[in-house]
Amino acid sequence: MAPVQLDNVDDQLKNVIQDLFEIQSAVHGYLGPETQQQLIRKISQLSNSLSSLSSTSSTLPTQIPPEIIEYVEDGRNPDIYTREFVELAQKQNQFLKGKSEAFAGFRDVLAEEIVKAMPELREEVEKTIDKREQREEMKENGDAEEA
C-alpha cells in the first residue's frame, strides 16, 4: 500500500513542479491584462496541487525523530546532527568495549586467584573459562547460537 501512496505523492510533486514552471513562464511572458486571467488560473491550479499534495502526504507514515525536526527548525543542517549522533555512538561503543575488556581481564585474574587459593576448583574454573571463550568466538563469527 505504501508504494502506491509514494507513487501518488511523487506524481503530485511533479504536478507542483510543472505548475511552478508554468507560472514562471507566464510571469516571464506577462503582457498585462490580456495574460492576467491565464496567470490567475495557473496560480489557482498550483494552489489545488499543493492542497492535494498536503492531504496525501499527511497520510504517509513518517518516522522522523523530533530532535531532527527541531534541528531543522532551528536552521541547522540535519547532516551535522547525524554526524554528531554517529560520533556519540562510536564513543559509547568504545567505552563499552573498554569496560568489556576490563571485565574479561578481571575474570582471568579472578580465575587465577581462585585456582591458587582453592586448587580443587581448577577443573570448574577451566570449564567456565572455556565456555566463555567459546561464546566469545561464536559472537565474533556472527553465530546466533550460544553455548
Side-chain angles (χ1 to χ4, degrees), residues 20-32:
L20 287 169
F21 177 75
E22 289 174 6
I23 289 172
Q24 177 189 7
S25 298
V27 168
H28 182 69
Y30 188 70
L31 301 173

Side-chain angles (χ1 to χ4, degrees), residues 3-113:
V4 173
Q5 284 184 333
L6 288 176
D7 289 342
N8 192 8
V9 169
D10 189 45
D11 291 340
Q12 290 176 356
L13 278 171
K14 289 176 184 175
N15 290 339
V16 168
I17 293 169
Q18 181 63 36
D19 292 342
L20 287 169
F21 177 75
E22 289 174 6
I23 289 172
Q24 177 189 7
S25 298
V27 168
H28 182 69
Y30 188 70
L31 301 173
E34 60 259 15
T35 56
Q36 183 176 7
Q37 287 303 316
Q38 179 186 11
L39 184 57
I40 291 172
R41 202 171 43 253
K42 291 184 186 297
I43 291 173
S44 177
Q45 186 177 351
L46 174 64
S47 177
N48 291 338
S49 295
L50 288 170
S51 176
S52 175
L53 176 63
S54 177
S55 65
T56 303
S57 64
S58 65
T59 62
L60 289 175
T62 54
Q63 297 177 348
I64 300 173
E67 296 86 15
I68 293 178
I69 293 172
E70 289 174 19
Y71 219 78
V72 171
E73 286 176 350
D74 291 340
R76 299 178 73 189
N77 187 341
D79 291 338
I80 294 170
Y81 174 86
T82 303
R83 185 184 70 225
E84 289 172 352
F85 182 80
V86 168
E87 288 171 356
L88 179 64
Q90 287 175 336
K91 285 179 185 177
Q92 289 175 341
N93 284 345
Q94 288 173 347
F95 175 75
L96 290 176
K97 183 179 183 226
K99 248 180 145 174
S100 177
E101 289 172 354
F103 277 112
F106 174 72
R107 178 200 62 221
D108 295 341
V109 169
L110 182 63
E112 287 176 22
E113 294 301 318

